């Protein structure tokens, strides 16, 4: 009898797990640069030249693959602010996410955390760094980190937007920390591809952040058709399984200041 009850219980667990997974969907999309891919700008190193000057450092605000046009480091996430999605709470995993300072740059360039996670900033260089994270809802941080040190900070609250991380010693070093109240976010790879996993099955509002964009992404080209977005946001009805949104094309106009013709 106990054996039968145990088997029945395991069957229920399997059924519940299967039903739960069927109610989730993945969103995939790709960001490409339309036109001649721009070359990354070289960084002029003026501090700790003996070490930092050994590395071919470039401005990472706009990295476009020279052959495919893929745009790296575009982040897309479910927007839950005013006018955004109302989703069920997701328990925080309480994980530690690492932002590494290596070769006088940050890795990764964009780091995504969920409220309740711990941010660890590691210094893998033989020179000191002074990363400054411009927090809005969490305690501000300005840390002097000697070589081989890895201070941590608990981030209990979600932040309203991606937060820049800059080094006060090496001003070319820059990254972004994104602290959300949920895990629904993706960052594009060097081919411009990203995926957001296990989204709830409903119409959701997504926000797009492209660091180098000088104006809002109001008009974009999606799968060859112009599409109107509002304040870098778009809606998408998530269905079970894979949802392939296709290709989003950005061009030079999106990266040109409005006062330039």
């Amino acid at each position: 009898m106990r054996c039968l009850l145990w088997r029945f219980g395991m069957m229920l667990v399997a059924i519940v797990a299967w039903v739960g997974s069927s109610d989730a969907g993945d969103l995939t999309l790709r960001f490409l640069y339309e036109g001649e891919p721009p070359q990354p700008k070289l960084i002029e190193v003026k501090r700790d030249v003996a070490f930092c000057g050994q590395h071919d450092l470039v401005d990472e605000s706009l990295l476009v693959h020279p052959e495919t046009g893929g745009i790296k480091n575009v982040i897309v996430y479910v927007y839950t602010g005013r006018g955004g999605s109302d989703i069920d709470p997701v328990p925080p995993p309480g994980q530690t996410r690492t932002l590494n300072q290596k070769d006088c740059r940050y890795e990764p360039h964009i780091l995504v955390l969920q409220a309740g996670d711990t941010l660890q900033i590691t210094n893998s260089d033989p020179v000191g760094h002074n990363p400054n994270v411009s927090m809005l809802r969490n305690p501000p941080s300005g840390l002097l980190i000697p070589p081989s040190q890895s201070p941590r900070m608990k981030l209990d609250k979600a932040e309203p937007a991606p937060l820049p991380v800059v080094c006060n010693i090496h001003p070319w070093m820059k990254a972004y920390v994104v602290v959300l109240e949920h895990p629904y976010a993706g960052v594009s790879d060097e081919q411009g591809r990203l995926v957001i996993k296990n989204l709830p099955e409903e119409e959701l509002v997504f926000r797009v952040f492209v660091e180098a964009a000088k104006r809002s992404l109001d008009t974009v080209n999606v799968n060859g058709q112009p599409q109107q977005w509002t304040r870098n946001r778009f809606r998408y009805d998530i269905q079970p399984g894979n949802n392939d949104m296709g290709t989003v094309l950005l061009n030079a106009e999106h990266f040109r200041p409005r006062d330039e013709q």
Side-chain angles (χ1 to χ4, degrees), residues 123-197:
N123 186 2
S124 298
D125 286 338
V127 298
H129 291 294
N130 183 205
N132 191 334
V133 188
S134 302
M135 300 291 184
L136 298 175
R137 294 177 178 171
N138 293 282
S141 67
L143 305 172
L144 181 60
I145 307 179
S148 302
Q149 298 296 310
S150 300
R152 299 183 178 191
M153 62 187 75
K154 183 78 175 298
L155 303 180
D156 291 319
K157 297 181 180 180
E159 296 285 352
L163 304 174
V165 184
V166 295
C167 179
N168 294 334
I169 299 175
H170 310 99
W172 65 83
M173 292 179 63
K174 191 172 187 179
Y176 283 86
V177 170
V178 185
V179 189
L180 305 172
E181 59 186 15
H182 56 73
Y184 308 127
V187 180
S188 64
D189 61 17
E190 65 178 7
Q191 297 296 336
R193 298 187 179 94
L194 67 85
V195 57
I196 307 177
K197 305 286 290 185

Side-chain angles (χ1 to χ4, degrees), residues 84-256:
S85 298
D86 183 13
I87 59 177
D88 294 334
V90 180
Q95 297 182 351
T96 297
R97 308 286 186 179
T98 300
L99 182 65
N100 193 13
Q101 299 166 117
K102 182 175 174 59
D103 297 337
C104 295
R105 58 176 296 274
Y106 290 111
E107 179 62 37
H109 188 68
I110 295 182
L111 180 64
V112 181
L113 305 94
Q114 187 174 343
D117 285 348
T118 296
L119 171 62
Q120 175 176 284
I121 304 181
T122 298
N123 186 2
S124 298
D125 286 338
V127 298
H129 291 294
N130 183 205
N132 191 334
V133 188
S134 302
M135 300 291 184
L136 298 175
R137 294 177 178 171
N138 293 282
S141 67
L143 305 172
L144 181 60
I145 307 179
S148 302
Q149 298 296 310
S150 300
R152 299 183 178 191
M153 62 187 75
K154 183 78 175 298
L155 303 180
D156 291 319
K157 297 181 180 180
E159 296 285 352
L163 304 174
V165 184
V166 295
C167 179
N168 294 334
I169 299 175
H170 310 99
W172 65 83
M173 292 179 63
K174 191 172 187 179
Y176 283 86
V177 170
V178 185
V179 189
L180 305 172
E181 59 186 15
H182 56 73
Y184 308 127
V187 180
S188 64
D189 61 17
E190 65 178 7
Q191 297 296 336
R193 298 187 179 94
L194 67 85
V195 57
I196 307 177
K197 305 286 290 185
N198 299 320
L199 290 158
E201 183 188 342
E202 58 184 271
E203 186 180 64
L204 297 170
V205 179
F206 294 87
R207 185 175 187 268
V208 181
F209 175 74
V210 184
E211 180 184 353
K214 302 299 183 182
R215 58 187 69 189
S216 296
L217 306 179
D218 294 331
T219 302
V220 297
N221 187 302
V222 182
N223 296 324
Q225 299 295 325
Q227 191 173 114
Q228 297 297 315
W229 291 357
T230 303
R231 297 178 182 177
N232 292 23
R233 304 172 200 162
F234 65 88
R235 293 180 176 270
Y236 200 92
D237 189 11
I238 300 297
Q239 302 296 320
N242 183 49
N243 298 259
D244 188 355
M245 183 172 164
T247 300
V248 179
L249 290 180
L250 303 181
N251 56 50
E253 291 299 317
H254 292 110
F255 303 99
R256 185 175 295 137

